[in-house]
Amino acid sequence: PSPRSCLPHGANEEALRYEIEELKRKDLALDQEIAQLLTEGYSLEELEKHISLLHEYNDIKDAGQMLLGKLAVIRGVTTKQLYPEYDLELSD
């Protein structure tokens, strides 16, 4: 069972209401950010392309991190110790 299922029924509903309101606030903030970018001259297609490229970048970075982690386990070192060997910055 999820932690919410252990809550009294009223508390569970209140938590859901709060979560819904929080999502609505985030949605509004994103709409405002998109509107701002559009007024700055960005096109919706360009923004969608950037988002797609960011997803692709994150997927590739995740795969690289996973491989680095497996290599660290095999060598018995930390991932951080492998960074200099591959000319990686800790911020990478």
Side-chain angles (χ1 to χ4, degrees):
S2 71
R4 282 197 192 119
S5 64
C6 299
L7 296 173
H9 182 67
N12 194 13
E13 285 183 20
E14 186 60 34
L16 287 174
R17 276 193 204 94
Y18 176 80
E19 194 172 332
I20 288 169
E21 289 305 314
E22 189 64 27
L23 289 171
K24 286 180 181 178
R25 282 190 286 277
K26 287 180 182 179
D27 185 48
L28 179 60
L30 287 171
D31 285 344
Q32 291 170 341
E33 190 174 340
I34 289 170
Q36 177 64 35
L37 290 169
L38 291 173
T39 61
E40 292 175 8
Y42 293 95
S43 71
L44 198 51
E45 293 79 21
E46 185 179 9
L47 294 172
E48 289 173 356
K49 178 67 175 171
H50 282 272
I51 290 169
S52 175
L53 289 171
L54 281 171
H55 283 296
E56 185 177 349
Y57 167 80
N58 286 330
D59 289 344
I60 292 168
K61 184 177 178 182
D62 289 345
Q65 289 293 325
M66 185 179 64
L67 290 172
L68 212 53
K70 289 182 183 281
L71 183 58
V73 168
I74 291 169
R75 291 189 181 176
V77 298
T78 66
T79 303
K80 183 178 177 179
Q81 291 172 306
L82 293 176
Y83 273 57
E85 183 178 337
Y86 296 98
D87 296 322
L88 298 172
E89 298 291 327
L90 288 177
S91 60
D92 284 344

